[in-house]
Amino acid sequence: MRTGPSITGILIFLGFLLLVDLYVFSSVKTMTIGLEVRTRKIIHWAYWLLNTALFAWCISLLLTASPEKGMPRAFMTFFGVWVMFFVPKLLVLLVIGTEDVVRGIRALYALGYNAVSDTGGLSVGIGRREFLSRAAGVVALIPFVGIAHGMISGKFRFRVRRETLYFDDLPAAFDGFTITQLSDIHAGSFDPESHKEDVKLGIALAQSQKSDLFVFTGDLVNNLADEMLPWKKEFSQLRSPYGQFSILGNHDYGDYFYGHETSPAKTENFERFIQTHQDIGFDLMRDRHHIIEKNGEKIYLLGVENWGGGGFPKLGKLEKALEGVPENAFKILLSHDPSHFDQVISKHETNIHLTLSGHTHGAQFGFEIPGLKWSPVQLRYSRWAGLYKEAKRHLYVNRGFGFLGFPGRVGIWPEVTVLTLKKTSV
């Protein structure tokens, strides 16, 4: 079982935050030059009172963290508030820090040539810094407002994303067949009291698509089976004519709570988690396949355990799931981590027509406009959100239903995916 943070780690973290605050405060003092003395003092005191409150909140949470409770929602709330204030500070730090470096280089250059008088004097430098400080303050409001919106309403700004996929060898009976995909619910991040109606709306949106098939691609919980107890009734509403199928994600094994070693408590939690899938009507697929038949024709739905690159456990057994599946059959694979597609599925000798994944959340932060999308998660995952195609193999990466860590979404909204399979005209 994981232990709480060390005192040394806490002190280093708080010391870093204090250094940032001291530097940014120097910019606050500069940008308030020219205001009345009383107004300046109010702004300065407000700055430090706010930061002192955040420091106290952080210390309280870290010192009272209980390994038995996993990651409490209170810590995620703090993290969100901290990000809301810290990201704007980083912008100020970047602008003013760059200016200070430039001024320092100019000063050294001038001293080296005994030409201090030719630089324009300190008064010009101070005026420029005042202008940049105020400009940085205005620019910093943009991420502050965006992050606040993401925490208040962005995390439940559910969007239906539709894609139509064309295949030469799709059985004719499945022309127009629809699939609704959800991923990364992370039930432990939802507050049963304040989030109930929001989650219901997301579930209702998914159910209202009336797709032929429903699939869920992993991370039902953050760590523990009990996180789903308040939500069983809601997620039991998800039904489709050809069934509801699910797989496991990296968070579903309890490794981040119990560690990677097997223990009686971990085993008992996992057994209850498996039962949870049955209780809500999800047919959990663990390295196996299921035949979907329509008008005498068949497609094969495969599901594997979590398989991830970059240090994540490689538990999924694709070969086992393929046992008994005809070589020329039309195949849809559920695999939580898109790196499985990159490293295995795209190169596999067997053609798997469509792979459905999740895992990345789109980092819950970024932007998407027609023709362009960006998120910091793409530094790690080349395929991180939406539809990708390599040769005749398709991958769809769902942006996630819930959230984890940061209690919000900025620019990358929670997703209900609806895929329509079409047979290419010949």
Side-chain angles (χ1 to χ4, degrees), residues 225 264-276 278:
K266 183 179 180 181
T267 299
E268 191 272 336
N269 174 74
F270 189 65
E271 289 174 350
R272 285 189 289 113
F273 177 73
I274 299 301
Q275 182 62 46
T276 296
Q278 297 180 31

Side-chain angles (χ1 to χ4, degrees), residues 123-181:
S123 60
V124 175
I126 291 175
R128 178 178 173 84
R129 182 183 173 89
E130 182 180 349
F131 168 78
L132 287 174
S133 294
R134 290 178 177 174
V138 172
V139 172
L141 286 175
I142 298 173
F144 180 87
V145 172
I147 293 169
H149 171 267
M151 292 175 60
I152 295 169
S153 60
K155 60 189 173 188
F156 294 120
R157 192 178 176 184
F158 295 104
R159 291 291 182 267
V160 176
R161 293 186 176 267
R162 304 179 188 277
E163 294 284 353
T164 300
L165 311 180
Y166 293 87
F167 302 92
D168 295 335
D169 52 351
L170 178 71
F174 290 89
D175 187 29
F177 192 82
T178 55
I179 303 169
T180 287
Q181 177 195 9

Side-chain angles (χ1 to χ4, degrees), residues 215-226:
V215 297
F216 171 70
T217 48
D219 279 0
L220 188 63
V221 298
N222 295 348
N223 294 293
L224 304 175
D226 287 350

Side-chain angles (χ1 to χ4, degrees), residues 276-293:
T276 296
H277 280 255
Q278 297 180 31
D279 293 343
I280 61 178
F282 287 10
D283 187 348
L284 182 61
M285 305 185 75
R286 302 177 65 187
D287 301 327
R288 64 180 178 87
H289 67 264
H290 174 83
I291 301 173
I292 299 175
E293 187 169 353

